[in-house]
Structures are given as C-alpha cells and as structure tokens.
Coordinates of all heavy atoms in Angstrom, one line a residue:
M18 N 14.2 6.3 5.0 CA 13.2 5.6 4.1 C 13.0 4.2 4.6 O 13.9 3.5 4.9 CB 13.8 5.7 2.7 CG 12.9 4.9 1.7 SD 13.4 5.1 0.0 CE 14.8 4.2 -0.1
E19 N 11.7 3.8 4.6 CA 11.3 2.5 4.9 C 10.8 1.8 3.6 O 10.1 2.5 2.9 CB 10.3 2.5 6.0 CG 10.7 3.0 7.3 CD 11.6 2.1 8.1 OE1 11.4 0.9 8.1 OE2 12.6 2.6 8.6
K20 N 11.1 0.6 3.4 CA 10.7 -0.1 2.2 C 10.4 -1.6 2.5 O 11.2 -2.2 3.3 CB 11.8 0.0 1.2 CG 11.4 -0.5 -0.2 CD 12.6 -0.1 -1.2 CE 12.2 -0.4 -2.6 NZ 13.2 0.1 -3.5
F21 N 9.3 -2.1 2.0 CA 9.0 -3.5 2.2 C 8.2 -4.1 1.0 O 7.7 -3.3 0.3 CB 8.3 -3.8 3.5 CG 6.9 -3.2 3.6 CD1 5.8 -3.9 3.2 CD2 6.7 -1.9 4.1 CE1 4.5 -3.4 3.2 CE2 5.4 -1.4 4.1 CZ 4.3 -2.1 3.7
T22 N 8.3 -5.4 0.9 CA 7.5 -6.0 -0.2 C 6.4 -6.9 0.4 O 6.5 -7.3 1.6 CB 8.3 -6.9 -1.1 OG1 9.0 -7.9 -0.3 CG2 9.4 -6.1 -1.8
Y23 N 5.3 -7.1 -0.3 CA 4.2 -7.9 0.2 C 3.6 -8.6 -1.0 O 3.4 -8.0 -2.1 CB 3.2 -7.1 0.9 CG 2.0 -7.9 1.4 CD1 2.2 -8.7 2.6 CD2 0.8 -7.9 0.7 CE1 1.1 -9.5 3.0 CE2 -0.2 -8.7 1.2 CZ -0.1 -9.5 2.3 OH -1.1 -10.3 2.8
T24 N 3.3 -9.9 -0.9 CA 2.7 -10.7 -1.9 C 1.2 -10.8 -1.6 O 0.8 -11.2 -0.5 CB 3.3 -12.1 -2.1 OG1 4.7 -11.9 -2.3 CG2 2.6 -12.9 -3.2
I25 N 0.3 -10.3 -2.5 CA -1.1 -10.3 -2.4 C -1.7 -11.7 -2.3 O -1.4 -12.5 -3.2 CB -1.8 -9.5 -3.5 CG1 -1.2 -8.1 -3.6 CG2 -3.3 -9.5 -3.3 CD1 -1.4 -7.2 -2.4
T26 N -2.4 -12.0 -1.2 CA -3.0 -13.4 -1.1 C -4.5 -13.4 -1.3 O -5.1 -14.5 -1.5 CB -2.7 -13.9 0.3 OG1 -3.2 -13.0 1.3 CG2 -1.2 -14.1 0.6
D27 N -5.2 -12.2 -1.3 CA -6.6 -12.2 -1.6 C -6.9 -12.7 -3.0 O -6.3 -12.2 -3.9 CB -7.1 -10.7 -1.4 CG -8.6 -10.6 -1.4 OD1 -9.2 -11.2 -2.3 OD2 -9.2 -9.9 -0.6
P28 N -7.8 -13.6 -3.1 CA -8.1 -14.2 -4.5 C -8.5 -13.1 -5.5 O -8.3 -13.3 -6.7 CB -9.2 -15.2 -4.2 CG -9.1 -15.5 -2.8 CD -8.5 -14.3 -2.1
A29 N -9.1 -12.0 -5.0 CA -9.6 -11.0 -5.9 C -8.5 -9.9 -6.2 O -8.8 -9.0 -6.9 CB -10.8 -10.3 -5.3
G30 N -7.3 -10.1 -5.6 CA -6.3 -9.1 -5.7 C -6.7 -7.8 -4.9 O -7.4 -7.8 -4.0
I31 N -6.1 -6.7 -5.4 CA -6.5 -5.4 -4.7 C -7.7 -4.9 -5.4 O -7.6 -4.4 -6.6 CB -5.3 -4.4 -4.8 CG1 -4.1 -4.9 -4.1 CG2 -5.8 -3.0 -4.2 CD1 -2.9 -3.9 -4.1
H32 N -8.8 -5.0 -4.8 CA -10.1 -4.6 -5.3 C -10.6 -3.4 -4.6 O -10.0 -2.9 -3.6 CB -11.1 -5.7 -5.4 CG -11.3 -6.4 -4.1 ND1 -12.3 -6.1 -3.2 CD2 -10.6 -7.4 -3.5 CE1 -12.3 -6.9 -2.2 NE2 -11.2 -7.7 -2.3
A33 N -11.8 -2.8 -5.0 CA -12.3 -1.5 -4.5 C -12.3 -1.4 -3.0 O -11.8 -0.4 -2.4 CB -13.6 -1.3 -5.1
R34 N -12.9 -2.3 -2.2 CA -13.1 -2.0 -0.8 C -11.8 -2.0 -0.1 O -11.5 -1.0 0.6 CB -14.0 -3.1 -0.2 CG -14.3 -2.9 1.3 CD -15.1 -4.0 1.9 NE -14.4 -5.3 1.8 CZ -13.3 -5.6 2.5 NH1 -12.8 -4.8 3.4 NH2 -12.7 -6.8 2.4
P35 N -10.9 -3.0 -0.2 CA -9.6 -2.9 0.6 C -8.7 -1.8 0.0 O -7.9 -1.2 0.8 CB -9.0 -4.3 0.4 CG -9.7 -4.9 -0.7 CD -11.1 -4.3 -0.8
A36 N -8.8 -1.5 -1.3 CA -8.0 -0.4 -1.8 C -8.4 0.9 -1.2 O -7.5 1.7 -0.8 CB -8.2 -0.3 -3.3
G37 N -9.7 1.1 -1.0 CA -10.1 2.4 -0.4 C -9.7 2.5 1.1 O -9.2 3.5 1.5
L38 N -9.7 1.3 1.8 CA -9.2 1.3 3.2 C -7.7 1.5 3.2 O -7.2 2.2 4.1 CB -9.6 0.0 3.8 CG -11.1 -0.2 4.0 CD1 -11.4 -1.6 4.5 CD2 -11.7 0.8 5.0
L39 N -7.0 0.9 2.3 CA -5.5 1.1 2.2 C -5.2 2.5 2.0 O -4.3 3.1 2.7 CB -5.0 0.2 1.1 CG -3.5 0.2 0.9 CD1 -2.7 -0.2 2.2 CD2 -3.1 -0.7 -0.3
V40 N -5.8 3.2 1.1 CA -5.6 4.6 0.8 C -5.9 5.5 2.0 O -5.1 6.4 2.3 CB -6.4 5.1 -0.5 CG1 -6.4 6.6 -0.6 CG2 -5.9 4.4 -1.7
K41 N -7.0 5.2 2.7 CA -7.4 5.9 3.9 C -6.3 5.7 5.0 O -6.0 6.7 5.7 CB -8.8 5.4 4.3 CG -9.3 6.2 5.5 CD -10.7 5.8 5.8 CE -11.3 6.6 6.9 NZ -12.7 6.3 7.3
T42 N -5.8 4.5 5.1 CA -4.8 4.3 6.1 C -3.5 5.1 5.8 O -2.9 5.7 6.6 CB -4.4 2.8 6.1 OG1 -5.6 2.1 6.5 CG2 -3.4 2.5 7.2
A43 N -3.1 5.0 4.5 CA -1.9 5.8 4.1 C -2.1 7.3 4.2 O -1.1 8.0 4.6 CB -1.5 5.4 2.6
A44 N -3.3 7.8 4.0 CA -3.5 9.2 4.1 C -3.4 9.7 5.5 O -3.3 10.9 5.7 CB -4.9 9.5 3.5
G45 N -3.5 8.9 6.5 CA -3.4 9.3 7.9 C -2.0 9.6 8.3 O -1.8 10.0 9.4
F46 N -1.0 9.5 7.4 CA 0.4 9.8 7.8 C 0.9 10.9 6.9 O 0.5 11.2 5.8 CB 1.2 8.5 7.5 CG 0.9 7.4 8.4 CD1 0.1 6.3 8.0 CD2 1.3 7.3 9.7 CE1 -0.3 5.3 8.8 CE2 1.0 6.3 10.6 CZ 0.2 5.3 10.1
K47 N 1.9 11.6 7.5 CA 2.5 12.8 6.8 C 3.5 12.4 5.8 O 3.7 13.1 4.8 CB 3.2 13.7 7.9 CG 2.2 14.4 8.8 CD 2.9 15.2 9.8 CE 1.9 15.9 10.8 NZ 2.6 16.7 11.8
S48 N 4.1 11.2 6.0 CA 5.1 10.7 5.0 C 4.5 10.4 3.6 O 3.4 10.2 3.5 CB 5.7 9.4 5.6 OG 6.3 9.6 6.8
T49 N 5.4 10.5 2.7 CA 5.1 10.1 1.3 C 5.1 8.6 1.2 O 6.0 7.9 1.7 CB 6.2 10.7 0.3 OG1 6.3 12.1 0.5 CG2 5.9 10.3 -1.1
C50 N 4.0 8.1 0.7 CA 3.8 6.6 0.6 C 3.6 6.3 -0.9 O 2.7 6.8 -1.6 CB 2.5 6.2 1.3 SG 2.6 6.6 3.1
K51 N 4.5 5.5 -1.4 CA 4.5 5.0 -2.8 C 4.3 3.5 -2.9 O 4.7 2.8 -2.0 CB 5.8 5.3 -3.5 CG 6.2 6.8 -3.5 CD 5.7 7.5 -4.7 CE 6.2 8.9 -4.7 NZ 5.4 9.7 -5.6
V52 N 3.6 3.1 -3.9 CA 3.4 1.6 -4.1 C 3.9 1.3 -5.6 O 3.6 2.1 -6.5 CB 2.0 1.2 -3.9 CG1 1.0 2.0 -4.8 CG2 1.8 -0.3 -4.0
E53 N 4.5 0.2 -5.7 CA 5.0 -0.3 -7.0 C 4.6 -1.7 -7.2 O 4.7 -2.6 -6.3 CB 6.5 -0.2 -7.0 CG 7.1 -0.7 -8.3 CD 8.7 -0.6 -8.3 OE1 9.2 0.0 -7.4 OE2 9.3 -1.2 -9.2
G54 N 4.0 -2.0 -8.4 CA 3.6 -3.3 -8.7 C 3.1 -3.4 -10.1 O 2.7 -2.4 -10.7
N55 N 3.2 -4.6 -10.7 CA 2.7 -4.8 -12.1 C 3.4 -3.9 -13.0 O 2.8 -3.4 -14.0 CB 1.2 -4.7 -12.1 CG 0.6 -5.4 -13.3 OD1 1.2 -6.3 -13.9 ND2 -0.6 -5.1 -13.6
G56 N 4.7 -3.5 -12.8 CA 5.4 -2.6 -13.6 C 5.1 -1.1 -13.6 O 5.5 -0.3 -14.4
K57 N 4.3 -0.8 -12.6 CA 3.9 0.6 -12.4 C 4.2 1.1 -11.0 O 4.2 0.3 -10.1 CB 2.4 0.8 -12.7 CG 1.9 0.3 -14.0 CD 0.4 0.3 -14.1 CE -0.1 -0.5 -15.4 NZ -1.5 -0.7 -15.4
T58 N 4.3 2.4 -10.8 CA 4.5 3.0 -9.5 C 3.6 4.2 -9.4 O 3.3 4.9 -10.3 CB 6.0 3.5 -9.4 OG1 6.9 2.5 -9.7 CG2 6.3 4.1 -8.0
G59 N 3.1 4.4 -8.1 CA 2.2 5.5 -7.9 C 2.1 5.9 -6.4 O 2.6 5.2 -5.5
D60 N 1.3 6.9 -6.2 CA 1.0 7.4 -4.8 C 0.0 6.5 -4.1 O -1.1 6.3 -4.6 CB 0.5 8.9 -5.0 CG 0.3 9.6 -3.7 OD1 0.4 8.9 -2.6 OD2 0.1 10.8 -3.7
L61 N 0.4 6.0 -3.0 CA -0.5 5.1 -2.2 C -1.6 5.9 -1.6 O -2.6 5.2 -1.1 CB 0.4 4.4 -1.1 CG -0.3 3.2 -0.4 CD1 -0.8 2.2 -1.4 CD2 0.7 2.6 0.5
K62 N -1.6 7.2 -1.6 CA -2.7 8.0 -1.0 C -3.8 8.3 -2.1 O -4.7 9.1 -1.8 CB -2.1 9.2 -0.4 CG -1.2 8.9 0.8 CD -0.7 10.2 1.4 CE 0.3 9.9 2.5 NZ 0.8 11.1 3.2
R63 N -3.7 7.8 -3.3 CA -4.7 8.1 -4.3 C -5.3 6.8 -4.8 O -4.7 5.9 -5.3 CB -4.0 8.8 -5.5 CG -3.4 10.1 -5.1 CD -3.0 10.9 -6.3 NE -2.4 12.2 -5.9 CZ -3.1 13.3 -5.6 NH1 -4.5 13.2 -5.7 NH2 -2.6 14.4 -5.3
I64 N -6.6 6.7 -4.6 CA -7.4 5.5 -5.0 C -7.3 5.1 -6.4 O -7.1 3.9 -6.7 CB -8.9 5.6 -4.5 CG1 -9.6 4.3 -4.7 CG2 -9.6 6.7 -5.3 CD1 -9.2 3.2 -3.8
F65 N -7.3 6.0 -7.3 CA -7.2 5.7 -8.8 C -5.8 5.1 -9.1 O -5.7 4.3 -10.0 CB -7.5 6.9 -9.6 CG -9.0 7.3 -9.5 CD1 -9.3 8.5 -9.0 CD2 -10.0 6.5 -10.0 CE1 -10.7 8.9 -8.9 CE2 -11.3 6.8 -9.8 CZ -11.7 8.0 -9.3
T66 N -4.8 5.6 -8.4 CA -3.5 5.0 -8.7 C -3.4 3.6 -8.2 O -2.9 2.7 -8.9 CB -2.4 5.9 -7.9 OG1 -2.4 7.2 -8.4 CG2 -1.0 5.3 -8.0
V67 N -3.9 3.3 -7.0 CA -3.9 2.0 -6.5 C -4.7 1.0 -7.3 O -4.3 -0.1 -7.7 CB -4.4 2.0 -5.0 CG1 -4.5 0.6 -4.4 CG2 -3.5 2.8 -4.1
M68 N -5.9 1.4 -7.7 CA -6.7 0.6 -8.6 C -6.1 0.4 -9.9 O -6.3 -0.6 -10.6 CB -8.2 1.2 -8.7 CG -8.9 1.2 -7.4 SD -9.2 -0.5 -6.7 CE -10.2 -1.2 -8.0
G69 N -5.5 1.5 -10.4 CA -4.9 1.4 -11.8 C -3.7 0.5 -11.9 O -3.3 0.2 -13.0
L70 N -3.1 0.1 -10.8 CA -2.0 -0.8 -10.8 C -2.4 -2.2 -11.3 O -1.6 -3.0 -11.9 CB -1.3 -1.0 -9.5 CG -0.6 0.3 -8.9 CD1 -0.2 0.0 -7.5 CD2 0.5 0.7 -9.8
G71 N -3.7 -2.6 -11.1 CA -4.2 -3.9 -11.6 C -3.5 -5.1 -10.9 O -3.1 -6.0 -11.5
I72 N -3.3 -5.0 -9.6 CA -2.6 -6.0 -8.8 C -3.6 -7.2 -8.6 O -4.7 -7.0 -8.0 CB -2.1 -5.5 -7.5 CG1 -1.2 -4.3 -7.7 CG2 -1.4 -6.6 -6.7 CD1 0.0 -4.6 -8.5
K73 N -3.2 -8.4 -9.0 CA -3.9 -9.6 -8.8 C -3.3 -10.5 -7.7 O -2.2 -10.2 -7.3 CB -3.9 -10.4 -10.2 CG -4.4 -9.6 -11.4 CD -5.8 -9.3 -11.3 CE -6.3 -8.6 -12.6 NZ -7.3 -7.6 -12.4
A74 N -4.0 -11.5 -7.4 CA -3.5 -12.5 -6.4 C -2.2 -13.1 -6.8 O -2.0 -13.4 -8.0 CB -4.6 -13.6 -6.1
G75 N -1.3 -13.2 -5.9 CA 0.0 -13.8 -6.2 C 1.1 -12.7 -6.6 O 2.2 -13.1 -6.7
M76 N 0.6 -11.5 -7.0 CA 1.6 -10.5 -7.4 C 2.2 -9.9 -6.1 O 1.6 -9.8 -5.1 CB 0.9 -9.4 -8.2 CG 0.5 -9.9 -9.6 SD -0.2 -8.5 -10.5 CE -0.3 -9.1 -12.1
T77 N 3.5 -9.4 -6.3 CA 4.2 -8.8 -5.2 C 4.2 -7.3 -5.5 O 4.5 -6.8 -6.6 CB 5.6 -9.3 -5.1 OG1 5.5 -10.7 -4.8 CG2 6.4 -8.7 -4.0
I78 N 3.9 -6.5 -4.4 CA 4.0 -5.1 -4.4 C 5.2 -4.6 -3.5 O 5.6 -5.3 -2.6 CB 2.7 -4.4 -4.0 CG1 2.3 -4.7 -2.6 CG2 1.6 -4.7 -5.0 CD1 1.2 -3.9 -2.0
T79 N 5.7 -3.5 -3.8 CA 6.7 -2.8 -3.0 C 6.2 -1.5 -2.5 O 5.7 -0.7 -3.3 CB 8.0 -2.6 -3.8 OG1 8.5 -3.8 -4.3 CG2 9.1 -2.0 -2.9
V80 N 6.2 -1.3 -1.2 CA 5.7 -0.1 -0.6 C 7.0 0.7 0.0 O 7.8 0.1 0.7 CB 4.8 -0.4 0.6 CG1 4.3 0.9 1.3 CG2 3.5 -1.1 0.0
T81 N 7.1 1.9 -0.4 CA 8.1 2.8 0.1 C 7.5 4.0 0.8 O 6.6 4.6 0.3 CB 9.0 3.3 -1.1 OG1 9.4 2.2 -1.9 CG2 10.2 4.1 -0.7
V82 N 8.0 4.2 2.0 CA 7.5 5.3 2.9 C 8.7 6.2 3.3 O 9.7 5.7 3.7 CB 6.8 4.8 4.1 CG1 6.2 5.9 4.9 CG2 5.8 3.7 3.8
E83 N 8.5 7.5 3.1 CA 9.6 8.4 3.4 C 9.0 9.7 4.0 O 8.1 10.3 3.5 CB 10.4 8.8 2.1 CG 11.7 9.5 2.4 CD 12.6 9.6 1.2 OE1 12.2 9.1 0.1 OE2 13.6 10.2 1.3
G84 N 9.6 10.0 5.2 CA 9.1 11.2 5.9 C 9.2 11.1 7.4 O 9.8 10.1 7.9
E85 N 8.7 12.1 8.1 CA 8.9 12.2 9.5 C 8.3 11.0 10.3 O 8.7 10.7 11.4 CB 8.4 13.5 10.1 CG 6.9 13.7 9.9 CD 6.5 15.2 10.3 OE1 6.7 16.1 9.5 OE2 6.0 15.3 11.4
D86 N 7.2 10.4 9.8 CA 6.6 9.3 10.6 C 6.7 8.0 9.8 O 5.8 7.1 9.9 CB 5.1 9.6 10.9 CG 4.3 10.0 9.7 OD1 4.8 10.0 8.6 OD2 3.1 10.3 9.9
E87 N 7.8 7.8 9.0 CA 7.9 6.7 8.1 C 7.9 5.3 8.8 O 7.3 4.4 8.3 CB 9.1 6.8 7.3 CG 10.4 6.8 8.0 CD 11.7 7.2 7.2 OE1 11.5 8.0 6.2 OE2 12.7 6.7 7.5
K88 N 8.5 5.2 10.0 CA 8.6 3.9 10.7 C 7.2 3.4 11.1 O 6.8 2.3 10.9 CB 9.5 4.0 11.9 CG 11.0 4.1 11.5 CD 11.9 3.9 12.7 CE 13.3 4.1 12.4 NZ 13.8 3.3 11.3
E89 N 6.4 4.3 11.7 CA 5.1 4.0 12.1 C 4.2 3.7 10.9 O 3.4 2.8 10.9 CB 4.5 5.2 12.9 CG 3.1 4.9 13.4 CD 2.4 6.1 14.1 OE1 3.1 7.1 14.3 OE2 1.2 6.0 14.4
A90 N 4.3 4.6 9.8 CA 3.5 4.4 8.6 C 3.8 3.0 8.0 O 2.9 2.3 7.6 CB 3.8 5.5 7.6
A91 N 5.1 2.7 7.8 CA 5.4 1.4 7.2 C 4.9 0.2 8.0 O 4.4 -0.7 7.5 CB 7.0 1.3 7.1
S92 N 5.0 0.3 9.3 CA 4.6 -0.8 10.2 C 3.0 -0.9 10.1 O 2.5 -2.0 10.0 CB 4.9 -0.5 11.7 OG 4.4 -1.4 12.5
T93 N 2.3 0.2 10.1 CA 0.9 0.2 10.0 C 0.4 -0.4 8.7 O -0.5 -1.2 8.6 CB 0.3 1.6 10.3 OG1 0.7 2.0 11.6 CG2 -1.2 1.6 10.2
L94 N 1.0 0.1 7.6 CA 0.7 -0.4 6.2 C 1.0 -1.9 6.1 O 0.2 -2.6 5.5 CB 1.4 0.4 5.2 CG 0.9 1.9 5.1 CD1 1.9 2.7 4.2 CD2 -0.5 2.0 4.5
K95 N 2.1 -2.3 6.6 CA 2.4 -3.8 6.5 C 1.4 -4.6 7.2 O 0.9 -5.6 6.7 CB 3.8 -4.0 7.1 CG 4.3 -5.4 6.8 CD 5.7 -5.7 7.5 CE 6.8 -4.9 6.8 NZ 8.1 -5.3 7.3
S96 N 1.0 -4.2 8.4 CA 0.0 -4.9 9.2 C -1.4 -4.9 8.5 O -2.1 -5.9 8.4 CB -0.2 -4.2 10.6 OG 0.9 -4.4 11.3
F97 N -1.7 -3.7 7.9 CA -3.0 -3.6 7.1 C -3.0 -4.7 6.0 O -4.0 -5.4 5.8 CB -3.2 -2.2 6.5 CG -4.4 -2.1 5.7 CD1 -5.6 -1.8 6.3 CD2 -4.4 -2.4 4.3 CE1 -6.8 -1.8 5.5 CE2 -5.5 -2.3 3.6 CZ -6.7 -2.0 4.2
L98 N -1.9 -4.7 5.2 CA -1.8 -5.6 4.1 C -1.9 -7.1 4.5 O -2.7 -7.9 3.9 CB -0.5 -5.4 3.3 CG -0.4 -4.1 2.5 CD1 1.0 -3.9 2.1 CD2 -1.4 -4.1 1.3
K99 N -1.3 -7.4 5.6 CA -1.3 -8.8 6.1 C -2.8 -9.2 6.6 O -3.2 -10.3 6.4 CB -0.4 -9.0 7.3 CG 1.1 -9.1 6.9 CD 2.0 -9.2 8.1 CE 3.4 -9.3 7.6 NZ 4.3 -9.4 8.8
E100 N -3.5 -8.2 7.1 CA -4.8 -8.5 7.6 C -5.9 -8.5 6.6 O -6.9 -9.1 6.7 CB -5.2 -7.5 8.7 CG -4.4 -7.6 10.0 CD -4.5 -6.5 10.9 OE1 -5.5 -5.6 10.8 OE2 -3.7 -6.4 11.9
N101 N -5.7 -7.7 5.5 CA -6.7 -7.5 4.5 C -6.5 -7.9 3.1 O -7.4 -8.1 2.3 CB -7.1 -6.0 4.5 CG -7.6 -5.5 5.8 OD1 -8.8 -5.7 6.1 ND2 -6.8 -4.8 6.6
L102 N -5.2 -8.1 2.7 CA -4.9 -8.5 1.3 C -4.0 -9.7 1.3 O -3.5 -10.1 0.3 CB -4.4 -7.3 0.6 CG -5.4 -6.2 0.3 CD1 -4.7 -4.9 -0.2 CD2 -6.4 -6.6 -0.7

C-alpha cells in the first residue's frame, strides 16, 4: 500500500476540470485508488466522489493506492497533484 498527503494550492480547490483529469489519471491504473479529505473518503476513479468531497484551497487530502501497480500509480498521482492542484 502506498499513501501520501497533499495540500491543495489551487485557489479554486478541486474543481471540475482538474477533477476530471485526476479521475482519468487514476482510472489508468489497476490499483484501487482512494482519496480522503474534508472528513470524507471515496473512490478516486469516480468524478462525483471527488467533486463531492468539497475540497477547497489549503485543505489536505490523503491518497491511498493499493494493488499491483501501486508504486507507479502513487508516483503519477502525486506528480499530477503538484502540477495541477
């Protein structure tokens, strides 16, 4: 299992465009990808879950990846967050 935290720096928080790209990125991996933030947890491969978290700028999320390609998935997701959110 790979796990990391990330603090959102985008002034708009996690909004529609980057959320869609984040879900698309997570969906490219076989591993289970979970996201936790704002007191809620959900599947990182589902857009409504990600949007439903209501993550704003300055909030910290925790991403947990578990499965056969977890190291690559965690690394890719961490890079995505740093570049886009």
Side-chain angles (χ1 to χ4, degrees):
M18 177 172 68
E19 296 288 317
K20 189 174 190 175
F21 66 90
T22 58
Y23 181 76
T24 302
I25 303 301
T26 57
D27 187 314
I31 298 181
H32 53 95
R34 186 188 56 75
L38 294 172
L39 179 59
V40 168
K41 187 175 181 178
T42 300
F46 295 99
K47 293 179 182 178
S48 295
T49 301
C50 302
K51 301 269 185 200
V52 60
E53 180 182 344
N55 204 15
K57 303 172 190 171
T58 303
D60 187 346
L61 191 54
K62 296 181 180 182
R63 300 191 177 276
I64 187 70
F65 292 115
T66 299
V67 175
M68 293 299 297
L70 294 175
I72 303 297
K73 308 289 184 214
M76 290 182 167
T77 299
I78 61 170
T79 301
V80 176
T81 305
V82 185
E83 190 169 2
E85 62 186 81
D86 55 359
E87 63 189 29
K88 289 191 185 308
E89 182 185 355
S92 176
T93 301
L94 291 169
K95 189 182 289 189
S96 294
F97 177 89
L98 290 168
K99 287 180 182 177
E100 293 169 13
N101 296 284
L102 290 168

